[in-house]
PDB file of all heavy atoms in Angstrom:
ATOM      1  N   CYS A   1     -19.994  -3.226  52.700  1.00 96.00           N
ATOM      2  CA  CYS A   1     -19.050  -2.523  53.574  1.00 96.00           C
ATOM      3  C   CYS A   1     -19.072  -3.211  54.930  1.00 96.00           C
ATOM      4  O   CYS A   1     -20.131  -3.358  55.545  1.00 96.00           O
ATOM      5  CB  CYS A   1     -19.434  -1.050  53.714  1.00 96.00           C
ATOM      6  SG  CYS A   1     -18.332  -0.110  54.805  1.00 96.00           S
ATOM      7  N   ALA A   2     -17.916  -3.663  55.399  1.00 97.00           N
ATOM      8  CA  ALA A   2     -17.847  -4.469  56.616  1.00 97.00           C
ATOM      9  C   ALA A   2     -16.979  -3.828  57.691  1.00 97.00           C
ATOM     10  O   ALA A   2     -15.927  -3.254  57.389  1.00 97.00           O
ATOM     11  CB  ALA A   2     -17.294  -5.855  56.286  1.00 97.00           C
ATOM     12  N   ARG A   3     -17.450  -3.912  58.932  1.00 96.00           N
ATOM     13  CA  ARG A   3     -16.655  -3.562  60.109  1.00 96.00           C
ATOM     14  C   ARG A   3     -16.031  -4.837  60.665  1.00 96.00           C
ATOM     15  O   ARG A   3     -16.691  -5.871  60.758  1.00 96.00           O
ATOM     16  CB  ARG A   3     -17.540  -2.941  61.192  1.00 96.00           C
ATOM     17  CG  ARG A   3     -17.881  -1.468  61.021  1.00 96.00           C
ATOM     18  CD  ARG A   3     -16.783  -0.533  61.513  1.00 96.00           C
ATOM     19  NE  ARG A   3     -16.341  -0.838  62.860  1.00 96.00           N
ATOM     20  CZ  ARG A   3     -16.904  -0.368  63.970  1.00 96.00           C
ATOM     21  NH1 ARG A   3     -17.952   0.427  63.889  1.00 96.00           N
ATOM     22  NH2 ARG A   3     -16.422  -0.686  65.147  1.00 96.00           N
ATOM     23  N   CYS A   4     -14.764  -4.781  61.051  1.00 96.00           N
ATOM     24  CA  CYS A   4     -14.058  -5.988  61.480  1.00 96.00           C
ATOM     25  C   CYS A   4     -13.669  -5.986  62.952  1.00 96.00           C
ATOM     26  O   CYS A   4     -13.344  -7.047  63.503  1.00 96.00           O
ATOM     27  CB  CYS A   4     -12.805  -6.200  60.631  1.00 96.00           C
ATOM     28  SG  CYS A   4     -11.612  -4.831  60.718  1.00 96.00           S
ATOM     29  N   ALA A   5     -13.656  -4.847  63.620  1.00 95.00           N
ATOM     30  CA  ALA A   5     -13.187  -4.782  65.010  1.00 95.00           C
ATOM     31  C   ALA A   5     -13.746  -3.553  65.695  1.00 95.00           C
ATOM     32  O   ALA A   5     -14.366  -2.695  65.073  1.00 95.00           O
ATOM     33  CB  ALA A   5     -11.651  -4.763  65.049  1.00 95.00           C
ATOM     34  N   GLY A   6     -13.524  -3.473  67.013  1.00 92.00           N
ATOM     35  CA  GLY A   6     -13.995  -2.333  67.789  1.00 92.00           C
ATOM     36  C   GLY A   6     -15.471  -2.448  68.102  1.00 92.00           C
ATOM     37  O   GLY A   6     -16.093  -3.499  67.933  1.00 92.00           O
ATOM     38  N   GLY A   7     -16.037  -1.350  68.570  1.00 90.00           N
ATOM     39  CA  GLY A   7     -17.456  -1.323  68.922  1.00 90.00           C
ATOM     40  C   GLY A   7     -17.997   0.061  68.695  1.00 90.00           C
ATOM     41  O   GLY A   7     -17.560   0.764  67.780  1.00 90.00           O
ATOM     42  N   ASN A   8     -18.915   0.494  69.554  1.00 87.00           N
ATOM     43  CA  ASN A   8     -19.455   1.846  69.385  1.00 87.00           C
ATOM     44  C   ASN A   8     -18.587   2.888  70.079  1.00 87.00           C
ATOM     45  O   ASN A   8     -19.019   3.998  70.365  1.00 87.00           O
ATOM     46  CB  ASN A   8     -20.907   1.934  69.868  1.00 87.00           C
ATOM     47  CG  ASN A   8     -21.070   1.664  71.343  1.00 87.00           C
ATOM     48  OD1 ASN A   8     -20.398   0.798  71.907  1.00 87.00           O
ATOM     49  ND2 ASN A   8     -21.963   2.381  71.992  1.00 87.00           N
ATOM     50  N   ASN A   9     -17.308   2.513  70.309  1.00 76.00           N
ATOM     51  CA  ASN A   9     -16.300   3.494  70.738  1.00 76.00           C
ATOM     52  C   ASN A   9     -15.721   4.225  69.534  1.00 76.00           C
ATOM     53  O   ASN A   9     -15.017   5.220  69.685  1.00 76.00           O
ATOM     54  CB  ASN A   9     -15.178   2.821  71.526  1.00 76.00           C
ATOM     55  CG  ASN A   9     -14.463   1.728  70.734  1.00 76.00           C
ATOM     56  OD1 ASN A   9     -15.044   1.095  69.846  1.00 76.00           O
ATOM     57  ND2 ASN A   9     -13.214   1.470  71.062  1.00 76.00           N
ATOM     58  N   ALA A  10     -15.980   3.700  68.326  1.00 69.00           N
ATOM     59  CA  ALA A  10     -15.523   4.372  67.116  1.00 69.00           C
ATOM     60  C   ALA A  10     -16.471   5.525  66.805  1.00 69.00           C
ATOM     61  O   ALA A  10     -17.604   5.548  67.260  1.00 69.00           O
ATOM     62  CB  ALA A  10     -15.494   3.383  65.954  1.00 69.00           C
ATOM     63  N   GLY A  11     -16.003   6.467  65.991  1.00 71.00           N
ATOM     64  CA  GLY A  11     -16.863   7.581  65.611  1.00 71.00           C
ATOM     65  C   GLY A  11     -16.481   8.138  64.260  1.00 71.00           C
ATOM     66  O   GLY A  11     -15.377   8.642  64.096  1.00 71.00           O
ATOM     67  N   HIS A  12     -17.358   8.010  63.288  1.00 72.00           N
ATOM     68  CA  HIS A  12     -17.111   8.532  61.946  1.00 72.00           C
ATOM     69  C   HIS A  12     -18.211   9.523  61.594  1.00 72.00           C
ATOM     70  O   HIS A  12     -19.388   9.191  61.645  1.00 72.00           O
ATOM     71  CB  HIS A  12     -17.099   7.388  60.923  1.00 72.00           C
ATOM     72  CG  HIS A  12     -16.012   6.395  61.148  1.00 72.00           C
ATOM     73  ND1 HIS A  12     -16.020   5.141  60.591  1.00 72.00           N
ATOM     74  CD2 HIS A  12     -14.876   6.464  61.871  1.00 72.00           C
ATOM     75  CE1 HIS A  12     -14.946   4.474  60.966  1.00 72.00           C
ATOM     76  NE2 HIS A  12     -14.239   5.259  61.749  1.00 72.00           N
ATOM     77  N   THR A  13     -17.824  10.749  61.261  1.00 75.00           N
ATOM     78  CA  THR A  13     -18.784  11.782  60.894  1.00 75.00           C
ATOM     79  C   THR A  13     -18.740  12.010  59.393  1.00 75.00           C
ATOM     80  O   THR A  13     -17.670  12.189  58.814  1.00 75.00           O
ATOM     81  CB  THR A  13     -18.469  13.105  61.621  1.00 75.00           C
ATOM     82  OG1 THR A  13     -18.474  12.865  63.029  1.00 75.00           O
ATOM     83  CG2 THR A  13     -19.498  14.158  61.288  1.00 75.00           C
ATOM     84  N   ILE A  14     -19.919  11.996  58.760  1.00 76.00           N
ATOM     85  CA  ILE A  14     -20.003  12.175  57.313  1.00 76.00           C
ATOM     86  C   ILE A  14     -21.058  13.237  57.012  1.00 76.00           C
ATOM     87  O   ILE A  14     -22.157  13.208  57.566  1.00 76.00           O
ATOM     88  CB  ILE A  14     -20.391  10.855  56.617  1.00 76.00           C
ATOM     89  CG1 ILE A  14     -19.336   9.785  56.897  1.00 76.00           C
ATOM     90  CG2 ILE A  14     -20.537  11.046  55.119  1.00 76.00           C
ATOM     91  CD1 ILE A  14     -19.719   8.406  56.413  1.00 76.00           C
ATOM     92  N   VAL A  15     -20.709  14.182  56.131  1.00 75.00           N
ATOM     93  CA  VAL A  15     -21.637  15.237  55.714  1.00 75.00           C
ATOM     94  C   VAL A  15     -22.018  14.980  54.263  1.00 75.00           C
ATOM     95  O   VAL A  15     -21.161  15.032  53.371  1.00 75.00           O
ATOM     96  CB  VAL A  15     -21.003  16.632  55.871  1.00 75.00           C
ATOM     97  CG1 VAL A  15     -22.009  17.715  55.475  1.00 75.00           C
ATOM     98  CG2 VAL A  15     -20.505  16.853  57.290  1.00 75.00           C
ATOM     99  N   VAL A  16     -23.306  14.680  54.002  1.00 75.00           N
ATOM    100  CA  VAL A  16     -23.744  14.357  52.643  1.00 75.00           C
ATOM    101  C   VAL A  16     -25.109  14.975  52.353  1.00 75.00           C
ATOM    102  O   VAL A  16     -25.906  15.201  53.260  1.00 75.00           O
ATOM    103  CB  VAL A  16     -23.838  12.825  52.416  1.00 75.00           C
ATOM    104  CG1 VAL A  16     -22.476  12.183  52.472  1.00 75.00           C
ATOM    105  CG2 VAL A  16     -24.764  12.182  53.423  1.00 75.00           C
ATOM    106  N   PRO A  17     -25.390  15.233  51.062  1.00 74.00           N
ATOM    107  CA  PRO A  17     -26.725  15.724  50.692  1.00 74.00           C
ATOM    108  C   PRO A  17     -27.732  14.580  50.679  1.00 74.00           C
ATOM    109  O   PRO A  17     -27.463  13.509  50.146  1.00 74.00           O
ATOM    110  CB  PRO A  17     -26.505  16.288  49.287  1.00 74.00           C
ATOM    111  CG  PRO A  17     -25.307  15.575  48.749  1.00 74.00           C
ATOM    112  CD  PRO A  17     -24.460  15.208  49.926  1.00 74.00           C
ATOM    113  N   ILE A  18     -28.890  14.807  51.264  1.00 74.00           N
ATOM    114  CA  ILE A  18     -29.922  13.767  51.371  1.00 74.00           C
ATOM    115  C   ILE A  18     -31.261  14.306  50.866  1.00 74.00           C
ATOM    116  O   ILE A  18     -31.598  15.473  51.098  1.00 74.00           O
ATOM    117  CB  ILE A  18     -30.067  13.302  52.838  1.00 74.00           C
ATOM    118  CG1 ILE A  18     -28.835  12.481  53.248  1.00 74.00           C
ATOM    119  CG2 ILE A  18     -31.312  12.468  53.054  1.00 74.00           C
ATOM    120  CD1 ILE A  18     -28.750  11.119  52.609  1.00 74.00           C
ATOM    121  N   GLY A  19     -32.029  13.442  50.222  1.00 70.00           N
ATOM    122  CA  GLY A  19     -33.389  13.786  49.817  1.00 70.00           C
ATOM    123  C   GLY A  19     -33.463  14.583  48.530  1.00 70.00           C
ATOM    124  O   GLY A  19     -32.435  14.980  47.956  1.00 70.00           O
ATOM    125  N   PRO A  20     -34.693  14.847  48.067  1.00 73.00           N
ATOM    126  CA  PRO A  20     -34.903  15.578  46.801  1.00 73.00           C
ATOM    127  C   PRO A  20     -34.272  16.967  46.809  1.00 73.00           C
ATOM    128  O   PRO A  20     -33.826  17.466  45.781  1.00 73.00           O
ATOM    129  CB  PRO A  20     -36.432  15.672  46.688  1.00 73.00           C
ATOM    130  CG  PRO A  20     -36.971  14.614  47.596  1.00 73.00           C
ATOM    131  CD  PRO A  20     -35.974  14.448  48.691  1.00 73.00           C
ATOM    132  N   GLU A  21     -34.246  17.594  47.996  1.00 75.00           N
ATOM    133  CA  GLU A  21     -33.698  18.948  48.091  1.00 75.00           C
ATOM    134  C   GLU A  21     -32.183  18.950  48.266  1.00 75.00           C
ATOM    135  O   GLU A  21     -31.553  20.003  48.313  1.00 75.00           O
ATOM    136  CB  GLU A  21     -34.354  19.691  49.267  1.00 75.00           C
ATOM    137  CG  GLU A  21     -35.855  19.869  49.106  1.00 75.00           C
ATOM    138  CD  GLU A  21     -36.488  20.514  50.326  1.00 75.00           C
ATOM    139  OE1 GLU A  21     -35.752  20.771  51.312  1.00 75.00           O
ATOM    140  OE2 GLU A  21     -37.702  20.765  50.294  1.00 75.00           O
ATOM    141  N   LYS A  22     -31.596  17.741  48.383  1.00 75.00           N
ATOM    142  CA  LYS A  22     -30.141  17.587  48.560  1.00 75.00           C
ATOM    143  C   LYS A  22     -29.623  18.424  49.726  1.00 75.00           C
ATOM    144  O   LYS A  22     -28.594  19.100  49.639  1.00 75.00           O
ATOM    145  CB  LYS A  22     -29.394  17.979  47.270  1.00 75.00           C
ATOM    146  CG  LYS A  22     -29.760  17.127  46.061  1.00 75.00           C
ATOM    147  CD  LYS A  22     -29.369  15.679  46.258  1.00 75.00           C
ATOM    148  CE  LYS A  22     -29.695  14.813  45.053  1.00 75.00           C
ATOM    149  NZ  LYS A  22     -29.408  13.392  45.285  1.00 75.00           N
ATOM    150  N   LYS A  23     -30.373  18.363  50.822  1.00 77.00           N
ATOM    151  CA  LYS A  23     -29.979  19.099  52.014  1.00 77.00           C
ATOM    152  C   LYS A  23     -28.778  18.425  52.670  1.00 77.00           C
ATOM    153  O   LYS A  23     -28.788  17.219  52.906  1.00 77.00           O
ATOM    154  CB  LYS A  23     -31.143  19.145  53.007  1.00 77.00           C
ATOM    155  CG  LYS A  23     -30.846  19.914  54.268  1.00 77.00           C
ATOM    156  CD  LYS A  23     -32.024  19.858  55.234  1.00 77.00           C
ATOM    157  CE  LYS A  23     -31.693  20.570  56.534  1.00 77.00           C
ATOM    158  NZ  LYS A  23     -32.796  20.463  57.516  1.00 77.00           N
ATOM    159  N   LYS A  24     -27.741  19.213  52.955  1.00 80.00           N
ATOM    160  CA  LYS A  24     -26.546  18.647  53.585  1.00 80.00           C
ATOM    161  C   LYS A  24     -26.886  18.179  54.999  1.00 80.00           C
ATOM    162  O   LYS A  24     -27.370  18.944  55.827  1.00 80.00           O
ATOM    163  CB  LYS A  24     -25.412  19.661  53.611  1.00 80.00           C
ATOM    164  CG  LYS A  24     -24.742  19.845  52.261  1.00 80.00           C
ATOM    165  CD  LYS A  24     -23.466  20.657  52.344  1.00 80.00           C
ATOM    166  CE  LYS A  24     -22.797  20.751  50.989  1.00 80.00           C
ATOM    167  NZ  LYS A  24     -21.551  21.550  51.036  1.00 80.00           N
ATOM    168  N   THR A  25     -26.609  16.907  55.252  1.00 82.00           N
ATOM    169  CA  THR A  25     -26.951  16.293  56.531  1.00 82.00           C
ATOM    170  C   THR A  25     -25.710  15.663  57.136  1.00 82.00           C
ATOM    171  O   THR A  25     -24.932  15.020  56.432  1.00 82.00           O
ATOM    172  CB  THR A  25     -28.038  15.212  56.330  1.00 82.00           C
ATOM    173  OG1 THR A  25     -29.155  15.795  55.654  1.00 82.00           O
ATOM    174  CG2 THR A  25     -28.497  14.626  57.654  1.00 82.00           C
ATOM    175  N   THR A  26     -25.526  15.859  58.425  1.00 84.00           N
ATOM    176  CA  THR A  26     -24.385  15.266  59.130  1.00 84.00           C
ATOM    177  C   THR A  26     -24.808  13.961  59.792  1.00 84.00           C
ATOM    178  O   THR A  26     -25.716  13.949  60.628  1.00 84.00           O
ATOM    179  CB  THR A  26     -23.837  16.233  60.200  1.00 84.00           C
ATOM    180  OG1 THR A  26     -23.429  17.445  59.562  1.00 84.00           O
ATOM    181  CG2 THR A  26     -22.645  15.627  60.918  1.00 84.00           C
ATOM    182  N   PHE A  27     -24.166  12.880  59.401  1.00 85.00           N
ATOM    183  CA  PHE A  27     -24.432  11.573  59.989  1.00 85.00           C
ATOM    184  C   PHE A  27     -23.266  11.182  60.885  1.00 85.00           C
ATOM    185  O   PHE A  27     -22.103  11.286  60.487  1.00 85.00           O
ATOM    186  CB  PHE A  27     -24.598  10.512  58.897  1.00 85.00           C
ATOM    187  CG  PHE A  27     -25.830  10.690  58.061  1.00 85.00           C
ATOM    188  CD1 PHE A  27     -25.781  11.368  56.851  1.00 85.00           C
ATOM    189  CD2 PHE A  27     -27.050  10.186  58.481  1.00 85.00           C
ATOM    190  CE1 PHE A  27     -26.909  11.539  56.075  1.00 85.00           C
ATOM    191  CE2 PHE A  27     -28.192  10.349  57.715  1.00 85.00           C
ATOM    192  CZ  PHE A  27     -28.123  11.026  56.517  1.00 85.00           C
ATOM    193  N   ALA A  28     -23.592  10.727  62.090  1.00 85.00           N
ATOM    194  CA  ALA A  28     -22.561  10.257  63.030  1.00 85.00           C
ATOM    195  C   ALA A  28     -22.674   8.737  63.165  1.00 85.00           C
ATOM    196  O   ALA A  28     -23.663   8.231  63.690  1.00 85.00           O
ATOM    197  CB  ALA A  28     -22.733  10.935  64.379  1.00 85.00           C
ATOM    198  N   PHE A  29     -21.671   8.036  62.672  1.00 88.00           N
ATOM    199  CA  PHE A  29     -21.625   6.579  62.784  1.00 88.00           C
ATOM    200  C   PHE A  29     -20.733   6.188  63.957  1.00 88.00           C
ATOM    201  O   PHE A  29     -19.680   6.790  64.183  1.00 88.00           O
ATOM    202  CB  PHE A  29     -21.064   5.970  61.495  1.00 88.00           C
ATOM    203  CG  PHE A  29     -22.014   6.014  60.340  1.00 88.00           C
ATOM    204  CD1 PHE A  29     -22.086   7.141  59.530  1.00 88.00           C
ATOM    205  CD2 PHE A  29     -22.834   4.946  60.056  1.00 88.00           C
ATOM    206  CE1 PHE A  29     -22.961   7.196  58.458  1.00 88.00           C
ATOM    207  CE2 PHE A  29     -23.719   4.982  58.980  1.00 88.00           C
ATOM    208  CZ  PHE A  29     -23.778   6.112  58.186  1.00 88.00           C
ATOM    209  N   HIS A  30     -21.152   5.162  64.673  1.00 91.00           N
ATOM    210  CA  HIS A  30     -20.368   4.663  65.799  1.00 91.00           C
ATOM    211  C   HIS A  30     -20.113   3.164  65.665  1.00 91.00           C
ATOM    212  O   HIS A  30     -18.979   2.716  65.662  1.00 91.00           O
ATOM    213  CB  HIS A  30     -21.076   4.973  67.120  1.00 91.00           C
ATOM    214  CG  HIS A  30     -21.346   6.429  67.324  1.00 91.00           C
ATOM    215  ND1 HIS A  30     -20.379   7.309  67.755  1.00 91.00           N
ATOM    216  CD2 HIS A  30     -22.462   7.175  67.118  1.00 91.00           C
ATOM    217  CE1 HIS A  30     -20.893   8.536  67.821  1.00 91.00           C
ATOM    218  NE2 HIS A  30     -22.155   8.478  67.432  1.00 91.00           N
ATOM    219  N   LEU A  31     -21.169   2.404  65.560  1.00 93.00           N
ATOM    220  CA  LEU A  31     -21.080   0.952  65.432  1.00 93.00           C
ATOM    221  C   LEU A  31     -21.373   0.488  64.009  1.00 93.00           C
ATOM    222  O   LEU A  31     -20.769  -0.455  63.510  1.00 93.00           O
ATOM    223  CB  LEU A  31     -22.066   0.291  66.404  1.00 93.00           C
ATOM    224  CG  LEU A  31     -22.149  -1.230  66.402  1.00 93.00           C
ATOM    225  CD1 LEU A  31     -20.815  -1.848  66.836  1.00 93.00           C
ATOM    226  CD2 LEU A  31     -23.272  -1.700  67.325  1.00 93.00           C
ATOM    227  N   LEU A  32     -22.277   1.159  63.336  1.00 94.00           N
ATOM    228  CA  LEU A  32     -22.697   0.755  62.000  1.00 94.00           C
ATOM    229  C   LEU A  32     -21.673   1.182  60.948  1.00 94.00           C
ATOM    230  O   LEU A  32     -21.042   2.228  61.090  1.00 94.00           O
ATOM    231  CB  LEU A  32     -24.064   1.361  61.666  1.00 94.00           C
ATOM    232  CG  LEU A  32     -25.299   0.596  62.146  1.00 94.00           C
ATOM    233  CD1 LEU A  32     -25.275   0.342  63.643  1.00 94.00           C
ATOM    234  CD2 LEU A  32     -26.564   1.348  61.763  1.00 94.00           C
ATOM    235  N   PRO A  33     -21.494   0.374  59.893  1.00 93.00           N
ATOM    236  CA  PRO A  33     -20.548   0.728  58.826  1.00 93.00           C
ATOM    237  C   PRO A  33     -20.970   2.000  58.097  1.00 93.00           C
ATOM    238  O   PRO A  33     -22.143   2.176  57.751  1.00 93.00           O
ATOM    239  CB  PRO A  33     -20.609  -0.481  57.877  1.00 93.00           C
ATOM    240  CG  PRO A  33     -21.166  -1.600  58.703  1.00 93.00           C
ATOM    241  CD  PRO A  33     -22.093  -0.959  59.689  1.00 93.00           C
ATOM    242  N   SER A  34     -20.009   2.882  57.835  1.00 89.00           N
ATOM    243  CA  SER A  34     -20.303   4.154  57.167  1.00 89.00           C
ATOM    244  C   SER A  34     -20.776   3.960  55.739  1.00 89.00           C
ATOM    245  O   SER A  34     -21.436   4.838  55.175  1.00 89.00           O
ATOM    246  CB  SER A  34     -19.054   5.045  57.149  1.00 89.00           C
ATOM    247  OG  SER A  34     -18.499   5.191  58.421  1.00 89.00           O
ATOM    248  N   GLY A  35     -20.444   2.814  55.137  1.00 90.00           N
ATOM    249  CA  GLY A  35     -20.846   2.552  53.762  1.00 90.00           C
ATOM    250  C   GLY A  35     -22.339   2.508  53.563  1.00 90.00           C
ATOM    251  O   GLY A  35     -22.823   2.554  52.424  1.00 90.00           O
ATOM    252  N   LEU A  36     -23.109   2.443  54.643  1.00 92.00           N
ATOM    253  CA  LEU A  36     -24.567   2.452  54.547  1.00 92.00           C
ATOM    254  C   LEU A  36     -25.105   3.736  53.924  1.00 92.00           C
ATOM    255  O   LEU A  36     -26.256   3.785  53.487  1.00 92.00           O
ATOM    256  CB  LEU A  36     -25.192   2.260  55.933  1.00 92.00           C
ATOM    257  CG  LEU A  36     -25.094   0.847  56.533  1.00 92.00           C
ATOM    258  CD1 LEU A  36     -25.489   0.866  57.996  1.00 92.00           C
ATOM    259  CD2 LEU A  36     -25.950  -0.145  55.757  1.00 92.00           C
ATOM    260  N   ILE A  37     -24.282   4.776  53.882  1.00 89.00           N
ATOM    261  CA  ILE A  37     -24.665   6.027  53.227  1.00 89.00           C
ATOM    262  C   ILE A  37     -25.061   5.768  51.775  1.00 89.00           C
ATOM    263  O   ILE A  37     -25.945   6.405  51.229  1.00 89.00           O
ATOM    264  CB  ILE A  37     -23.497   7.049  53.298  1.00 89.00           C
ATOM    265  CG1 ILE A  37     -23.355   7.604  54.717  1.00 89.00           C
ATOM    266  CG2 ILE A  37     -23.686   8.167  52.308  1.00 89.00           C
ATOM    267  CD1 ILE A  37     -24.404   8.601  55.117  1.00 89.00           C
ATOM    268  N   ASN A  38     -24.360   4.795  51.140  1.00 89.00           N
ATOM    269  CA  ASN A  38     -24.700   4.400  49.773  1.00 89.00           C
ATOM    270  C   ASN A  38     -25.915   3.475  49.823  1.00 89.00           C
ATOM    271  O   ASN A  38     -25.829   2.375  50.370  1.00 89.00           O
ATOM    272  CB  ASN A  38     -23.512   3.696  49.121  1.00 89.00           C
ATOM    273  CG  ASN A  38     -23.873   3.063  47.783  1.00 89.00           C
ATOM    274  OD1 ASN A  38     -24.903   3.389  47.188  1.00 89.00           O
ATOM    275  ND2 ASN A  38     -23.038   2.154  47.324  1.00 89.00           N
ATOM    276  N   PRO A  39     -27.060   3.868  49.259  1.00 90.00           N
ATOM    277  CA  PRO A  39     -28.279   3.059  49.368  1.00 90.00           C
ATOM    278  C   PRO A  39     -28.193   1.697  48.686  1.00 90.00           C
ATOM    279  O   PRO A  39     -29.028   0.830  48.918  1.00 90.00           O
ATOM    280  CB  PRO A  39     -29.352   3.937  48.704  1.00 90.00           C
ATOM    281  CG  PRO A  39     -28.612   4.900  47.862  1.00 90.00           C
ATOM    282  CD  PRO A  39     -27.304   5.128  48.524  1.00 90.00           C
TER     283      PRO A  39
END
């Protein structure tokens, strides 16, 4: 997953289950590609 432009002025919010308990967690991406959610 690649970012092509902009900087940390961008903002992407993603709500996903994380860990063995599948606890819903809100991740705020600014500079890093959101695709990192996929391990």
Side-chain angles (χ1 to χ4, degrees):
C1 179
R3 279 278 309 273
C4 60
N8 63 322
N9 58 332
H12 297 163
T13 303
I14 299 172
V15 182
V16 293
I18 289 289
E21 298 176 357
K22 299 296 181 184
K23 181 183 177 183
K24 284 190 177 180
T25 305
T26 301
F27 292 95
F29 287 86
H30 303 280
L31 179 63
L32 275 55
S34 308
L36 287 168
I37 287 285
N38 171 17

